[in-house]
Amino acid sequence: MKIENLQTDRQKGLIENLQTDRQKGLTEQEANDRLEYYGVNSIDTQSTKSFIVYFKEAMKDITILILLVATGLSTVIAYQTHPDDFTEPIVIFSIVLLNLYLSIRQQKSAEKSMDQLKKMSTPSSCVLRESSVKEINSSEIVPGDIVQLKLGDRVPADAKVITSTNFFVDESFLTGESEPSEKDASYQPTDNEGLSDRKDLVFSGALVVTGKATVLVEKTGNATEIGKISHLITNEGTHVAPLQIKMQRLGKVLGLVAITAGFLAIVIGLVKGLSLESSIMTAISMAVAAIPEVLPVVVTISLAVGMGNMAVKKTIVRTPSTVETVGGVSVICSDKTGTITENKMSVKKIAPLIEIPTLLDFTKDKEKNLLLLFYLASAFSENEGGSNPTELAIQKAVNNRFSEKELQEHLSDLEKIKELPFDSKRKRMTVVYRIGKEYLSVTKGAFDRLHLVNLSEDYQAEHDQLADQAYRVLGVAYKVFQQSIEELSEEELEEELTFAGFIGIIDPARKEAAKAVEVAKKAGIKTVMITGDHLLTASRIAKEVGIMGEGDRAMTGAELKRMSDKQLAETIDRYRVFARTSTEDKIRIVKAFQQNDEIVAMTGDGVNDAPALKAADVGIAMGSGTEVAKEASDMVLVDDHFATIVQAVEEGRRVYQNIRKSLYAMLGCNISALTIVLISLILGWGAPVTAIQLLIIKVVADGIPGFSLSVEPAEGKNMEKQPIHKYDSIFSQGLTFKILEISVVFTVVTLLAIVIGRTQSVAIAETMTFIVLGLSTISHMYNCRSEVSILRLKFFGNPLLVLTTAIGALIIVLLVTIPLTQHTFGFVTIGLSNWLWVLGLSFIPVAYIEVKKWTHLF
């Protein structure tokens, strides 16, 4: 093949009619030319972001920029007015550093999928070059090379099978099918076949589990199927979680509020005759009041608690924001094998069709007799993991029906003397036994490959009925010989057999799967099965566990390919099963649901699942899956159970609910602080609280007690509510009104404290303002626990809240009573009568909300 003709082939991604001498292989010159043009046989990797990039992205947060400006202005004024005290700018800057750290941590989720894909390559391969087989570095393999594969080898590139002997490869990482795939050089593909149907092709990364083969390399590097997956993963990028979007929007709104309030403070201050320094300090107080500095910490802690709870329930969450995202999931696209099913083949149907003669009449139970025949026609490895799934299923069925002693009694007279292993061309295996002076040959395999003397239409009907029920159907037949079999050929041993019956084998559904699907359905979540398995098998399991109901449809990957993206998005809600799907099919399904504004969770375990896992809002890898799938995912299920996903959704909903409680707790204080400062300025009272005093309130009264709301248990029937819509505001369902309402209450009681305090002195008024703002915020935490009255809740139902509110209240009291802190933060002693006033005023918000709860005005 001339090098100038390779461009067309490269664009196709497939080399056809390669002019390679199959007896001699490529010459070194031909190989070098192709290597120069096609490049090395490896997958391109993705470059990782530097810390500088993460830092720049974090600095786009308007709230961080506002706090940095506040820090700078506060530092300048402190230097000019009190150069010995930089407490205020230090405290503000500490909050900035904490928020920067949390922001960068949120962004920095390592993308290791590409590295894991590279690990699936094999370091060296046996290649035919210039009439001799050479072991070369697999990265030097080129299209047109002839490669020899044997048991234990990993396929180095996509290739076409030239010759094969009993050749099976494990390509579950690519196709999702658990059983090894048989490969055959004589196979003739048809149109619209998926990867798992291509018996004439092997794919890079697959593992040879049986036999040997010679293959002709067609694709290398990025042109291989695994290379395409690498490209798909790279193109998907990183999704921004719904909570992150909502918090970014909140930050922008609060940032604009802070800028506007600061500008008003300066204008009003100057109009009222305040100095520029005083006006700027008041503006800083307004900025600090508007921005919930501690909220990112509280949200992160809430998510961390959720991560911990999920870990206990066997779910490892890779990024904190995933905890909330999974709570909003409205569609779960689940794999079948190992997630909905047990991933363990099991004999579920036993169909004896004839009376077994006396020689083989081991028991009076026909089904047990038939199982024993299948047992005799099997080969078991001493290591259970070494047997194939079919043999293990038969062994398990026999062990369930027979005790070890009983089995030995029935088989004690049988001496195994010969075995004809399973062959991909014969589709059967035979084992021969000596019983006294007679010989018994037992053969099991595909029904149409058993040469029978008693073939009957009834047998075919029974076979078809089992196949229609999605069972993998195996038949067993036998033959008795009176003479020695040593001189008989394999054909003679497997001819004129007497048929005994069928078994139906299937991977059964997990016992808890149906219940979990029902819970998901009540929670408004659609469960969809996406599998590489056959349509009939997938549909049967889907109906069994409740995924498919009346009117629901199933579709194959071939049918999916004939639909445009628009058609798929318009009709996808009718389908609950997608079978024989490819990597591209899975991504299309996920994106079609996303076009309908669904929040999609996708499960998977193979390399072929990785792009769809990354495309989904929540990618969920199986603990038993490939490292590529795990690295592309957001969550990993340790136990692989579908029910664990539903538990994760429930935990995510609880976390989101508690984040809203934290917002309710914090923003009421923030808005009231802004209002109080503005009203005080307009009335000519000056700023009643400083920036550092507001920061103390936010840390001590908001922050310390606020994160304790993260451990509140879920309220009511949390999993019987509809999922929160992707574009719903975090303030939906009346939260905006509740925040504004409580901020009005805070404002009124705090202004009362200012008025009472100013009858004595400005310093007393400012101290009382600080105490009322702090203690009322702390008491309000108990309003936020539930929409149910606190009198109906266990007071110590959240012991962490009791502890943190007690600590917060104690800190506030100590700050205004200890002489050192009084001087540092600008407080004065207020006297017993004023203490009674501030305590009474601080509990008005609780009393107000309690009255509303009891009168059902909420």
Side-chain angles (χ1 to χ4, degrees):
M1 181 177 234
K2 295 181 180 180
I3 196 72
E4 58 266 22
N5 295 330
L6 292 178
Q7 179 64 39
T8 303
D9 297 314
R10 191 181 194 190
Q11 290 171 347
K12 290 180 182 178
L14 175 65
I15 301 258
E16 296 174 348
N17 302 318
L18 290 169
Q19 297 179 7
T20 301
D21 188 326
R22 299 191 179 184
Q23 302 300 318
K24 299 180 179 179
L26 295 175
T27 66
E28 290 299 335
Q29 183 60 49
E30 287 174 326
N32 288 334
D33 288 343
R34 295 181 184 187
L35 183 64
E36 181 180 351
Y37 190 81
Y38 283 91
V40 295
N41 179 32
S42 65
I43 300 168
D44 292 341
T45 55
Q46 198 175 25
S47 58
T48 57
K49 293 181 182 179
S50 66
F51 174 81
I52 298 298
V53 174
Y54 285 118
F55 181 77
K56 287 181 179 178
E57 291 178 359
M59 289 299 292
K60 293 177 183 178
D61 188 335
I62 189 171
T63 58
I64 290 177
L65 294 175
I66 290 170
L67 289 176
L68 282 174
V69 172
T71 301
L73 290 174
S74 179
T75 302
V76 171
I77 292 172
Y79 179 76
Q80 291 177 349
T81 58
H82 44 85
D84 57 334
D85 184 7
F86 286 88
T87 304
E88 187 165 282
I90 290 172
V91 172
I92 298 174
F93 188 63
S94 298
I95 296 293
V96 172
L97 289 178
L98 180 59
N99 284 341
L100 275 173
Y101 166 74
L102 293 173
S103 178
I104 292 172
R105 181 180 173 182
Q106 286 281 80
Q107 295 178 56
K108 195 175 180 180
S109 59
E111 296 295 338
K112 300 178 182 176
S113 306
M114 302 301 104
D115 293 335
Q116 294 298 337
L117 282 173
K118 290 192 76 174
K119 290 180 182 178
M120 299 196 70
S121 62
T122 184
S124 61
S125 301
C126 292
V127 179
L128 180 64
R129 293 265 180 95
E130 296 183 336
S131 301
S132 63
V133 176
K134 303 176 181 179
E135 186 171 338
I136 68 170
N137 192 308
S138 295
S139 63
E140 297 174 6
I141 288 176
V142 296
D145 262 327
I146 294 175
V147 179
Q148 294 183 355
L149 298 171
K150 62 183 184 304
L151 174 66
D153 285 347
R154 196 170 286 279
V155 179
D158 291 3
K160 185 173 181 62
V161 179
I162 301 173
T163 63
S164 63
T165 303
N166 195 28
F167 187 55
F168 285 75
V169 297
D170 177 4
E171 52 190 24
S172 57
F173 75 96
L174 195 62
T175 64
E177 293 199 16
S178 55
E179 290 216 18
S181 175
E182 176 192 3
K183 300 298 177 179
D184 185 355
S186 63
Y187 181 80
Q188 296 298 317
T190 59
D191 293 338
N192 299 320
E193 283 190 334
L195 294 180
S196 54
D197 298 310
R198 291 300 303 268
K199 305 302 181 186
D200 58 327
L201 299 179
V202 289
F203 304 100
S204 178
L207 183 68
V208 180
V209 295
T210 305
K212 60 183 180 179
T214 301
V215 300
L216 177 66
V217 173
E218 293 185 336
K219 302 178 187 178
T220 59
N222 292 327
T224 62
E225 292 301 322
I226 204 169
K228 292 177 186 177
I229 290 172
S230 167
H231 179 70
L232 289 170
I233 293 174
T234 304
N235 283 354
E236 280 308 316
T238 302
H239 286 280
V240 181
L243 180 62
Q244 289 176 287
I245 295 172
K246 292 171 183 177
M247 297 307 291
Q248 287 169 3
R249 289 173 182 167
L250 175 61
K252 289 177 181 178
V253 171
L254 294 176
L256 291 174
V257 169
I259 293 170
T260 304
F263 176 76
L264 286 174
I266 293 173
V267 171
I268 294 171
L270 293 176
V271 170
K272 290 293 183 178
L274 296 177
S275 66
L276 180 60
E277 290 81 1
S278 296
S279 298
I280 291 175
M281 288 307 296
T282 303
I284 292 172
S285 297
M286 296 289 280
V288 170
I291 298 171
E293 297 87 356
V294 187
L295 183 59
V297 182
V298 172
V299 169
T300 300
I301 290 172
S302 298
L303 297 175
V305 170
M307 290 176 72
N309 291 341
M310 288 183 179
V312 171
K313 297 175 182 177
K314 300 182 179 180
T315 304
I316 306 303
V317 181
R318 300 183 67 239
T319 56
S321 59
T322 300
V323 175
E324 180 274 335
T325 307
V326 75
V329 162
S330 56
V331 175
I332 300 176
C333 295
S334 176
D335 190 14
K336 175 183 74 69
T337 306
T339 310
I340 301 294
T341 65
E342 295 179 358
N343 195 21
K344 294 178 181 178
M345 301 304 290
S346 178
V347 176
K348 288 297 182 182
K349 290 288 184 180
I350 304 173
L353 298 180
I354 65 167
E355 293 287 342
I356 296 177
T358 305
L359 176 68
L360 305 178
D361 194 8
F362 301 107
T363 77
K364 300 298 181 182
D365 187 320
K366 293 181 180 179
E367 289 190 358
K368 292 176 74 172
N369 274 338
L370 185 63
L371 269 180
L372 279 176
L373 281 181
F374 275 101
Y375 186 84
L376 291 173
S378 301
F380 303 108
S381 169
E382 292 184 5
N383 174 17
E384 185 175 301
S387 299
N388 76 35
T390 299
E391 310 287 72
L392 289 174
I394 293 171
Q395 187 176 40
K396 182 180 178 181
V398 169
N399 291 339
N400 288 339
R401 294 289 188 107
F402 295 88
S403 67
E404 187 175 346
K405 181 180 178 182
E406 184 183 11
L407 183 62
Q408 291 303 320
E409 287 177 356
H410 289 312
L411 304 181
S412 59
D413 294 334
L414 279 71
E415 178 189 357
K416 183 176 179 180
I417 61 172
K418 191 171 185 177
E419 178 181 314
L420 304 180
F422 179 86
D423 183 273
S424 59
K425 290 186 174 63
R426 291 164 44 243
K427 297 283 188 183
R428 58 184 180 268
M429 74 170 291
T430 297
V431 184
V432 181
Y433 298 87
R434 180 187 289 116
I435 309 176
K437 296 181 179 180
E438 297 177 306
Y439 296 88
L440 170 67
S441 172
V442 190
T443 303
K444 80 169 189 297
F447 178 62
D448 60 351
R449 297 301 182 92
L450 298 177
H451 300 157
L452 306 177
V453 294
N454 60 335
L455 185 62
S456 165
E457 291 183 0
D458 293 339
Y459 298 168
Q460 187 66 54
E462 180 71 19
H463 172 277
D464 293 346
Q465 183 179 1
L466 289 172
D468 287 343
Q469 296 175 45
Y471 289 107
R472 182 186 178 205
V473 185
L474 289 179
V476 67
Y478 65 91
K479 187 175 183 179
V480 177
F481 299 88
Q482 302 297 328
Q483 77 280 15
S484 172
I485 64 165
E486 292 180 2
E487 296 180 1
L488 296 179
S489 66
E490 291 184 3
E491 290 76 12
E492 289 173 313
L493 285 174
E494 294 182 340
E495 286 180 347
E496 299 182 344
L497 303 174
T498 300
F499 189 67
F502 294 110
I503 56 172
I505 301 176
I506 200 166
D507 180 10
R510 291 186 182 275
K511 294 179 181 178
E512 72 280 3
K515 183 179 179 181
V517 169
E518 180 62 25
V519 171
K521 191 176 293 184
K522 286 182 179 179
I525 301 169
K526 303 164 191 164
T527 304
V528 177
M529 182 187 290
I530 304 178
T531 178
D533 215 333
H534 293 277
L535 183 66
L536 190 63
T537 304
S539 298
R540 180 186 185 278
I541 294 294
K543 290 174 182 176
E544 184 179 333
V545 300
I547 291 176
M548 279 187 77
E550 192 69 31
D552 292 329
R553 301 181 185 180
M555 179 192 293
T556 64
E559 294 171 310
L560 182 64
K561 285 179 173 62
R562 292 194 289 269
M563 298 178 73
S564 68
D565 289 343
K566 183 179 179 182
Q567 289 173 323
L568 181 60
E570 289 173 349
T571 60
I572 195 165
D573 200 44
R574 305 172 193 170
Y575 294 90
R576 290 295 178 268
V577 172
F578 296 88
R580 309 301 277 175
T581 53
S582 67
T583 300
E584 292 82 359
D585 293 336
K586 294 175 183 179
I587 296 176
R588 289 187 66 203
I589 293 166
V590 168
K591 290 188 173 181
F593 276 118
Q594 289 173 333
Q595 284 181 35
N596 293 331
D597 295 336
E598 305 280 10
I599 297 179
V600 183
M602 170 77 191
T603 73
D605 57 3
V607 172
N608 62 319
D609 296 319
L613 291 175
K614 197 169 181 185
D617 297 284
V618 181
I620 305 174
M622 302 297 109
S624 59
T626 63
E627 290 302 314
V628 179
K630 292 176 186 176
E631 292 299 338
S633 68
D634 303 293
M635 291 167 44
V636 178
L637 298 186
V638 176
D639 59 5
D640 294 2
H641 291 189
F642 179 82
T644 307
I645 303 173
V646 178
Q647 291 176 357
V649 171
E650 185 174 10
E651 177 63 20
R653 289 189 175 190
R654 186 195 67 82
V655 168
Y656 185 74
Q657 197 176 64
N658 288 345
I659 288 173
R660 281 168 52 90
K661 291 176 183 178
S662 297
L663 279 173
Y664 180 36
M666 293 180 182
L667 293 185
C669 173
N670 283 34
I671 294 172
S672 65
L674 273 177
T675 309
I676 291 161
V677 174
L678 279 175
I679 292 174
S680 297
L681 283 175
I682 292 169
L683 294 175
W685 295 346
V689 282
T690 65
I692 193 168
Q693 288 172 354
L694 280 172
L695 280 173
I696 291 169
I697 290 171
K698 290 184 174 186
V699 173
V700 172
D702 271 353
I704 296 177
F707 82 83
S708 61
L709 290 173
S710 65
V711 299
E712 277 291 322
E715 283 193 72
K717 298 178 179 179
N718 209 22
M719 288 299 284
E720 293 184 12
K721 299 176 182 177
Q722 292 298 303
I724 295 172
H725 194 274
K726 179 183 285 188
Y727 298 111
D728 279 355
S729 165
I730 199 167
F731 298 106
S732 61
Q733 301 173 353
L735 183 58
T736 301
F737 174 78
K738 290 169 67 175
I739 290 171
L740 292 175
E741 179 186 39
I742 198 64
S743 68
V744 170
V745 177
F746 282 150
T747 301
V748 170
V749 298
T750 307
L751 287 174
L752 283 173
I754 295 173
V755 171
I756 294 168
R758 285 183 70 84
T759 61
Q760 302 167 62
S761 73
V762 172
I764 288 176
E766 291 175 350
T767 302
M768 290 179 68
T769 301
F770 173 80
I771 298 171
V772 170
L773 266 178
L775 294 184
S776 59
T777 300
I778 288 173
S779 66
H780 178 54
M781 292 291 167
Y782 290 89
N783 290 332
C784 303
R785 283 189 65 190
S786 172
E787 293 187 0
V788 176
S789 168
I790 58 176
L791 299 177
R792 291 178 177 173
L793 298 174
K794 292 181 180 178
F795 183 74
F796 289 99
N798 185 344
L800 185 60
L801 180 65
V802 176
L803 176 63
T804 53
T805 52
I807 291 173
L810 180 62
I811 290 173
I812 286 175
V813 171
L814 291 176
L815 285 175
V816 297
T817 55
I818 297 174
L820 178 61
T821 53
Q822 278 184 347
H823 173 72
T824 302
F825 299 109
F827 302 128
V828 295
T829 303
I830 63 172
L832 179 59
S833 61
N834 288 329
W835 271 109
L836 292 175
W837 272 113
V838 296
L839 290 174
L841 291 170
S842 297
F843 285 95
I844 287 177
V846 174
Y848 174 80
I849 297 299
E850 275 297 293
V851 169
K852 292 200 66 174
K853 288 178 179 179
W854 280 100
T855 54
H856 304 289
L857 294 175
F858 241 146

